[in-house]
Amino acid sequence: MGDGRSREPAHVRVSSRLRAEIRDGSWKPGQALPSEHELCERYSVSRTTIRRALQSLESSNLVHRRQGAGTFVAEPQLSHGLGDLRSFTQVITDLGREAGTLSPEVSLDPVPPVEALDFLPGSVIWRVRRRRTADGRLFSLADSWLPDEVGRRIDQERLSQHLSLYRVLEEDLGLRMHHAVESIRAEAARQEEADLLEIPHGSPLIVIYRWTRDARGAPVEFARSASPGDRHEYVVTLTKG
């Protein structure tokens, strides 16, 4: 009997080989793959086949192509399971990566978003802004809005030391985050956040909105976290009833 692989389309065979090489570390994150011409010679296939194979890898966020520069192995995405109320700092740490925050800012927000005004008590709202990193690479722009009784007690220096806002809220203020509702949307990067995330204006973002309550059921935080689409994924586990 013949090898079942021989009946696979050529582009599937090529993409499978490249996937395996990326996953076993033969090609490192950020490393350029050979040119289309070199790949054609390597696998003895047409340029159309190579392009279809690379499109498959790109759709799986394993590679990304830069106009005029070539195809590069993508940085691994951060995975975050739905139904998991952890700080993003803890998510990054649990994945074995080094979490960081660039210049956190704690300030009164004179014009908070309507979602924060509708959810949080009072009309005085504070904003905590952080640019999060994973292994030194910018990962997300995170904004958290807090009611006055919480926000005015946040120590910016402590936040810089501990990185996790939830840790500061729990250890310094005695609040325990109990449950949250999240909404996940695809949005295009506005100019300000594109500049802060060092990506082109209009780049695709995964934006997560979170409404968090403490153990007493009191609203504590409205948050918006925006990540470039190639750096973050949400994982959903489904069980048949």
Side-chain angles (χ1 to χ4, degrees):
M1 295 178 63
D3 183 356
R5 285 187 173 271
S6 64
R7 295 191 295 271
E8 289 181 337
H11 72 276
V12 173
R13 189 166 65 252
V14 172
S15 66
S16 295
R17 288 279 300 277
L18 288 170
R19 283 174 195 271
E21 291 174 2
I22 290 171
R23 286 170 174 157
D24 71 15
S26 297
W27 300 103
K28 306 296 184 184
Q31 185 176 0
L33 294 180
S35 68
E36 290 184 0
H37 176 72
E38 291 171 315
L39 290 172
C40 288
E41 292 189 339
R42 178 179 179 182
Y43 294 109
S44 300
V45 296
S46 69
R47 181 160 291 192
T48 298
T49 294
I50 292 300
R51 287 177 177 171
R52 291 186 67 184
L54 294 177
Q55 285 172 357
S56 176
L57 296 178
E58 189 172 32
S59 68
S60 299
N61 288 322
L62 290 176
V63 303
H64 58 90
R65 286 185 279 185
R66 301 177 193 163
Q67 188 69 32
T71 301
F72 297 81
V73 179
E75 298 286 342
Q77 289 182 310
L78 293 169
S79 296
H80 189 180
L82 285 171
D84 183 5
L85 183 55
R86 288 180 294 167
S87 72
F88 285 95
T89 299
Q90 191 62 52
V91 170
I92 294 169
T93 302
D94 288 349
L95 289 170
R97 304 177 71 175
E98 183 180 356
T101 300
L102 302 179
S103 305
E105 302 172 4
V106 182
S107 61
L108 282 169
D109 191 343
V111 190
V114 65
E115 294 94 339
L117 289 170
D118 288 344
F119 180 65
L120 300 171
S123 58
V124 177
I125 305 294
W126 290 73
R127 185 186 72 180
V128 177
R129 165 162 283 183
R130 291 147 292 157
R131 288 196 296 164
R132 297 194 186 98
T133 63
D135 292 339
R137 185 186 187 210
L138 273 171
F139 161 67
S140 71
L141 175 64
D143 287 316
S144 294
W145 288 270
L146 309 165
D148 183 51
E149 64 177 18
V150 176
R152 57 185 164 83
R153 297 163 62 197
I154 299 292
D155 186 318
Q156 187 165 301
E157 186 172 337
R158 287 272 291 169
L159 184 60
S160 298
Q161 294 171 349
H162 292 301
L163 305 181
S164 170
L165 174 61
Y166 281 12
R167 182 177 176 184
V168 171
L169 292 177
E170 291 174 357
E171 293 186 1
D172 293 5
L173 278 65
L175 295 171
R176 185 166 67 88
M177 304 300 100
H178 187 262
H179 66 276
V181 174
E182 285 190 342
S183 173
I184 305 170
R185 307 173 194 171
E187 298 181 9
R190 301 188 298 264
Q191 189 63 62
E192 180 187 20
E193 57 196 358
D195 292 342
L196 291 170
L197 288 168
E198 300 175 5
I199 57 176
H201 176 246
S203 295
L205 297 175
I206 295 175
V207 182
I208 303 163
Y209 295 87
R210 177 184 283 186
W211 294 257
T212 307
R213 295 177 181 270
D214 65 14
R216 299 175 295 114
V220 174
E221 174 204 34
F222 169 71
R224 180 183 186 273
S225 179
S227 301
D230 62 345
R231 302 180 197 176
H232 191 196
E233 68 178 3
Y234 255 65
V235 178
V236 185
T237 301
L238 303 177
T239 303
K240 186 175 181 180

